[in-house]
Amino acid sequence: MKTWVLYHSKGGNTKKIADVIANELEDVLKSEQIPPAYPPENVALLFLGTGEYAGKPDSKLLEFVRTLNKDRVKNVAVFGTNGKGVAGSAIATVKSLLNEKGINVVDESFCCKGKFFIFANRKSPDSNDINAAKEYAKRVYNSIKA
């Protein structure tokens, strides 16, 4: 099953989770920062990651989402990081845009705390977050593969 992991990460938190997801799955083609070197095509499952900045996803990620269409990407699972560790409006915004494009969006999303500036959440994402991201990746992958 053709699977990609794409993300946008300013501080490295979302990249860390993207790499965990990509390493957990057997046949992932890419794990790279948006925009990718070439656009995804014939992708069965796209894991799409964003940080949350003042309640919003990064504008580069939104621009990328606008380029996607259901003929190139069949299913998208959205994940991210933020200061609270719960899925916020950034993930909801990305899911909404994908739904508007007619792309199947996996109901379950993943979010964990990310390190913020120097002191806030400075050990995040931590080992519990890493393990949760691995389990999320396997669950989503297996649900699409079935």
Side-chain angles (χ1 to χ4, degrees):
M1 180 170 78
K2 193 171 183 181
T3 305
W4 273 27
V5 179
L6 297 175
Y7 62 91
H8 189 272
S9 184
K10 289 182 180 177
N13 299 311
T14 306
K15 178 190 184 324
K16 187 173 185 178
I17 297 302
D19 290 344
V20 166
I21 290 171
N23 290 332
E24 190 62 24
L25 304 175
E26 294 173 11
D27 53 356
V28 171
L29 295 177
K30 291 278 181 183
S31 175
E32 66 180 286
Q33 180 93 350
I34 290 172
Y38 54 96
E41 193 170 334
N42 301 320
V43 175
L45 176 58
L46 171 63
F47 283 92
L48 189 59
T50 185
E52 185 169 322
Y53 309 99
K56 298 178 182 174
D58 187 83
S59 60
K60 288 180 184 176
L61 183 113
L62 292 177
E63 288 173 29
F64 173 75
V65 168
R66 290 184 181 101
T67 70
L68 296 176
N69 68 60
K70 64 183 179 181
D71 296 328
R72 295 180 143 211
V73 177
K74 301 299 179 208
N75 302 284
V76 179
V78 183
F79 67 96
T81 58
N82 62 29
K84 296 174 265 177
V86 294
S89 56
I91 287 177
T93 298
V94 172
K95 287 176 132 183
S96 177
L97 284 172
L98 291 164
N99 279 323
E100 287 173 16
K101 298 182 93 26
I103 298 170
N104 183 52
V105 179
V106 175
D107 287 335
E108 183 183 4
S109 55
F110 176 82
C111 188
C112 68
K113 286 183 181 180
K115 181 173 45 178
F116 182 66
F117 291 116
I118 296 172
F119 298 109
N121 305 330
R122 54 176 221 217
K123 294 187 180 187
S124 296
D126 63 18
S127 61
N128 291 330
D129 299 324
I130 299 302
N131 289 331
K134 288 178 181 180
E135 291 302 314
Y136 166 74
K138 287 188 281 193
R139 257 191 325 274
V140 169
Y141 181 85
N142 289 333
S143 73
I144 299 299
K145 191 175 179 181

